[in-house]
Amino acid sequence: MNDPQSDNSFAAGAAYIDGRYMPIGQAAIPITDWGYRRSDVTYDVVGVWEGNFFRLEDHVRRFRSSMRKFRFEPREGDEEIKSVLNRCVALSGLKNAYVAMDCLRGRPAPGMPYHPVHARNYIAAFAIPWVWVMSPEVQKRGGHLITAETLRIPADSVDPTAKNFHWADLTRGQFEALDRGADFALLLDSEGNVTEGPGFNVFFVIDDVVLTPDAGVLEGITRKSVIEICGDLGIPAKVSKVPAAEARAADEIFLATTAGGVMPASRIDGRIMGNDRPGPISMKIQETFWAKRAKGWHATPVDYAAVAAVV
Amino acid sequence: MNDPQSDNSFAAGAAYIDGRYMPIGQAAIPITDWGYRRSDVTYDVVGVWEGNFFRLEDHVRRFRSSMRKFRFEPREGDEEIKSVLNRCVALSGLKNAYVAMDCLRGRPAPGMPYHPVHARNYIAAFAIPWVWVMSPEVQKRGGHLITAETLRIPADSVDPTAKNFHWADLTRGQFEALDRGADFALLLDSEGNVTEGPGFNVFFVIDDVVLTPDAGVLEGITRKSVIEICGDLGIPAKVSKVPAAEARAADEIFLATTAGGVMPASRIDGRIMGNDRPGPISMKIQETFWAKRAKGWHATPVDYAAVAAVV
């Protein structure tokens, strides 16, 4: 650990846990930590593409907001978190990276009352090679979606705007998708409106208007980017309720996530949209997204030289 | 690891992860494992008291049922799991232990599609010193409860009968309890009926009848034991809906969990029950529970000699 640069196992990824840096293969959470045992943890994920963080400030701001909502108080401030993330990427040397930041509850020390307020919260982070939620091949043909029977956990139980690992509903939806020969599940709320899917927001193109659900969802940063791009392109965009019946009859659908950008779909619940390929508005938004990224839109360059300096 | 008995760090607890035994301080979950990152994991907890497992068969049977519900397929069969649990306790030498068994999703290997079906599931387990969810001091005065504003995650999102770490609602409830000067939160469902609290089932004594919620709850093994004890004692017991208003007007309340047995309450939402002490029926059930345990009720002796044999 004294000379991390000499350890080439960092090439598979680099992690930080509560003050210490290590190769990703060594990064682990104590089995007794409530961050694992009660999923008492919040997180965020920022992408690095061609050596640049995308909307780093937005991600760290949302991470802090999630921490406040769950009443986490780690010792690291926002500037330190940004420096930790940079250092994880720099240690790994990765140009395209999936960069996660977690804040875990910890666990009350032995003898303390068994209440989360008595635990010392801490930060973990890591950079690993870029992950595509939807593979480039599937992006080309368009994802096949279903609306799942399993309902999204409602906001009066777990606040979806505070990013969390409560994914059993989303995981169950993914098994429903598998059983029905599809790629991804969209989850509905108890009133039959679309919410989100496993790790992504969803957009519908209906009569040349782009719609995305207004409630029961993470306020995604790629979602926000899509809405900004719609503004640039003069495409009307609306944040509103989307009943399942409208979703199933949409002209086009696409998904938005950090780990994949703008990802078009071509089928929903067995219905083929358009020509069974990504629709033209989805493609236009996807192209614009990556073109803007390539031009440095909301980019923060990774400081790869930071490795030596911070050891 | 070759001679675990010589390593006295096992005294703090012993763990098993995917085929390997280790002192509890070394037991950790990879930060990238979906068991942590998506809380894609199920678990169970069995107690050891004075050298005996309590209802070991019931716990392992429920664990298997939870695994099936979440579509986990670890390599260990039920007999092997029992032997792993025994060995964890034997390694630790603990006479009173909290013994957990987890089944984690794992994570798809690099290059595999990003779907849980492509992950190799595995078992983790550990034995640590006995944990009291409610300290013996609080048990003596009776717990102070609240009904929380936060609602329990509904069964159409996450099946509560498959034991899981989706605790953000329960944790939030515990912060509500803290803010209101109480010990524990009871969570309601969206129709205003009581469900359960963080790690326990709840019982109400109303007009000499013992009631416990019928839906939205874990089918607790201590809960089942309480119902059996009511039968022994000739106390009418009923599994039914319990509206919050009835709960708040109950004559007595007690909680039931593996990590605490039968735990009486004395206040709810600021209202003092009886003489601000555990009620007589709660006390009778609590005494009977521990008296039966002492006589070997549903006991499986820990085989402490198994350590050497299995190395």
Side-chain angles (χ1 to χ4, degrees), chain B residues 170-185:
Chain B
L170 300 165
T171 296
R172 190 169 174 145
Q174 281 304 89
F175 276 104
E176 290 186 48
L178 181 81
D179 294 342
R180 291 166 58 186
D183 303 310
F184 292 101

Side-chain angles (χ1 to χ4, degrees), chain A residues 35-308:
Chain A
Y36 164 64
R37 286 209 94 59
R38 298 180 168 197
S39 201
D40 194 0
V41 50
T42 188
Y43 78 113
D44 221 291
V45 174
V46 56
V48 168
W49 193 252
E50 297 185 353
N52 289 291
F53 285 104
F54 181 57
R55 305 195 88 138
L56 178 62
E57 294 287 339
D58 285 334
H59 284 282
V60 172
R61 191 180 309 121
R62 183 175 65 183
F63 184 45
R64 181 64 61 185
S65 155
S66 298
M67 287 193 277
R68 287 210 182 95
K69 288 172 183 171
F70 286 128
R71 294 169 67 158
F72 288 116
E73 293 174 17
R75 61 185 168 184
E76 293 86 347
D78 289 355
E79 288 311 309
E80 192 173 354
I81 290 169
K82 280 182 249 173
S83 131
V84 163
L85 299 177
N86 184 84
R87 187 157 152 74
C88 287
V89 181
L91 281 168
S92 74
L94 291 163
K95 297 300 176 222
N96 298 322
Y98 175 101
V99 185
M101 58 203 98
D102 303 351
C103 183
L104 296 94
R105 182 69 66 192
R107 183 185 174 89
M112 292 298 287
Y114 213 56
H115 191 288
V117 78
H118 297 294
R120 187 178 69 77
N121 314 148
Y122 64 98
I123 297 283
F126 63 85
I128 55 172
W130 176 265
V131 172
W132 288 108
V133 164
M134 186 189 284
S135 70
E137 297 71 46
V138 175
Q139 288 194 45
K140 216 163 285 174
R141 74 151 152 82
H144 297 170
L145 312 178
I146 61 156
T147 53
E149 296 287 318
T150 307
L151 300 184
R152 186 73 181 111
I153 296 171
D156 46 19
S157 292
V158 183
D159 181 352
T161 70
K163 214 163 153 68
N164 64 76
F165 292 146
H166 284 52
W167 272 53
D169 52 344
L170 299 166
T171 296
R172 191 170 174 142
Q174 281 303 89
F175 277 105
E176 289 187 48
L178 181 79
D179 294 344
R180 291 166 58 187
D183 303 309
F184 292 100
L186 305 180
L187 268 60
L188 310 179
D189 65 20
S190 63
E191 288 164 9
N193 298 306
V194 176
T195 63
E196 59 194 351
F200 53 77
N201 291 116
V202 56
F203 289 80
F204 301 91
V205 183
I206 300 176
D207 295 336
D208 298 323
V209 177
V210 170
L211 295 169
T212 195
D214 60 344
V217 302
L218 178 75
E219 289 163 0
I221 288 167
T222 310
R223 173 176 176 263
K224 174 176 160 183
S225 305
V226 165
I227 293 166
E228 290 174 11
I229 288 171
C230 287
D232 292 351
L233 296 176
I235 302 169
K238 234 171 80 183
V239 176
S240 70
K241 271 195 200 321
V242 182
E246 286 182 31
R248 289 191 194 103
D251 303 317
E252 298 181 29
I253 306 180
F254 60 90
L255 317 176
T257 176
T258 287
V262 176
M263 307 177 301
S266 57
R267 300 187 186 184
I268 180 161
D269 286 338
R271 190 190 135 243
I272 293 174
M273 290 178 284
N275 57 356
D276 204 13
R277 282 282 175 278
I281 293 178
S282 308
M283 295 281 282
K284 182 76 194 156
I285 292 170
Q286 187 189 39
E287 283 161 23
T288 307
F289 177 79
W290 288 107
K292 284 173 79 86
R293 293 281 299 270
K295 279 186 207 145
W297 190 41
H298 294 301
T300 303
V302 174
D303 176 8
Y304 289 96
V307 179

Side-chain angles (χ1 to χ4, degrees), chain B residues 220-240:
Chain B
I221 287 168
T222 309
R223 172 176 177 263
K224 174 176 161 182
S225 304
V226 165
I227 293 167
E228 289 174 12
I229 287 170
C230 287
D232 291 352
L233 297 174
I235 302 168
K238 235 172 78 183
V239 176
S240 69

